[in-house]
Structures are given as C-alpha cells and as structure tokens.
Amino acid sequence: MTTTITSLTIEPLTREAFAPFGDVIQADDAARHFTINEGNTERYHDLAQIDPGEDGRAIVSIFRGLPRTLPFTITMMERHPKASQAFIPLSGRPYLVVVAQPASRPSVDDLRVFLCQGDQGVNYARGVWHHPLLGLEAVSDFLIIDRAGPGENCDIVQMDAPSIIPALG
C-alpha cells in the first residue's frame, strides 16, 4: 500500500490567523501598551492568556532546540489537555509552529503551519495540538511558560498519514 504525503502550506504568523489556537506574543502597535518607569519603558501588557489549569501553577523554563532541516516530515503531534503552553524566542531566529484544533485526534487536513519571526512568541491554548519545537537556522533558546502540577499533561499521537513542510522560499 502506498502512502500519500501531503505538502503543507506555510502561513505568516498573525494574531488573526493564529487566534483559533491561542495567542501571538509580540510587542507591536496592535498590542495594548503604555509608558511606565518615568517614561523610560514601554509596557506591552497582557499579551497571552496563561492558563495553568486546575491545581496547576505556572512555571518558567528555557528550551534549547536544535534546528530542523526543511523539508521536514510531520509524523506526530502533541497537546497539553490541562493547561496552555507559551513559547517566546530568545535567540531572534525564525521558527515554525504546526497546530491543529483541539479534537480527539488531528488529521493531515487539520494541520496549519505558521512561520514565526524571531520577535514573535506563541501561546498554545489548552488542548491545542502542536508539533514539538521546530527551530530553524541554528540552535535556538525559547522561554517557556507552562504548567506544573498533578496529573499527566501531554498527549502524543502518531499521524495516520505523514505530511511535509516544504523548504522556505
């Protein structure tokens, strides 16, 4: 039996396009912002709905990811059913996110791929399917805000059919 591999389309990351999956974390004019500290600092306020879930607490970690080579085949996805999970790039490099709406199991047709710039973070809403870290170009660090607490908070599924993220450009 031959398996057909679906080629995914890479979209630019915007607040509107990513809204069904969570929040874009970015300091720009679209975000609520105001001046503080005697005029020395601009505060970009309340950029993500951090959700530690029932009996959870928010924790901060740094993930250091090796770069992925494109084209890249998507064979699995994961989700965190108890809480949100935010990724904020620290290395200033672009990266990709692959997401699907919360459902019992994502299919290839459910996947969306976003190209994130080095100044854009994402906050995956509770239960949103996503692929693990997809850094590009070089080893990259990300500040992660997620949940610590009782109970299992990571579901992993193998995709029924593979899909491929094509090379950029």
Side-chain angles (χ1 to χ4, degrees):
M1 180 162 109
T2 304
T3 301
T4 301
I5 297 178
T6 301
S7 182
L8 301 172
T9 301
I10 300 172
E11 306 174 50
L13 181 68
T14 65
R15 282 183 172 83
E16 298 76 24
F18 196 75
F21 310 104
D23 309 298
V24 172
I25 302 170
Q26 183 175 12
D28 63 8
D29 287 339
R32 181 174 169 221
H33 59 100
F34 47 90
T35 304
I36 60 171
N37 297 342
E38 300 175 333
N40 188 62
T41 304
E42 192 71 8
R43 176 178 177 150
Y44 292 84
H45 186 72
D46 197 17
L47 298 175
Q49 298 298 310
I50 303 300
D51 175 8
E54 187 176 328
D55 298 326
R57 65 182 181 85
I59 62 170
V60 176
S61 305
I62 292 178
F63 289 11
R64 181 164 290 154
L66 298 174
R68 305 291 186 140
T69 301
L70 300 179
F72 182 82
T73 303
I74 302 296
T75 60
M76 59 81 69
M77 296 287 281
E78 68 178 33
R79 70 176 174 184
H80 304 284
K82 294 183 178 283
S84 64
Q85 187 179 45
F87 285 72
I88 300 111
L90 298 176
S91 300
R93 293 185 188 92
Y95 63 102
L96 297 171
V97 297
V98 179
V99 290
Q101 291 280 348
S104 57
R105 182 181 191 88
S107 74
V108 169
D109 293 335
D110 299 325
L111 301 182
R112 291 190 58 191
V113 182
F114 293 95
L115 175 61
C116 308
Q117 300 306 311
D119 63 350
Q120 296 178 302
V122 295
N123 181 49
Y124 299 122
R126 182 191 305 206
V128 165
W129 289 102
H130 59 279
H131 192 276
L133 195 57
L134 291 167
L136 302 171
E137 298 179 354
V139 173
S140 298
D141 288 349
F142 291 81
L143 183 74
I144 310 302
I145 303 169
D146 62 349
R147 176 187 190 274
E152 184 60 38
N153 190 34
C154 186
D155 298 332
I156 297 172
V157 296
Q158 298 301 309
M159 298 298 292
D160 290 335
S163 56
I164 193 161
I165 301 172
L168 295 173

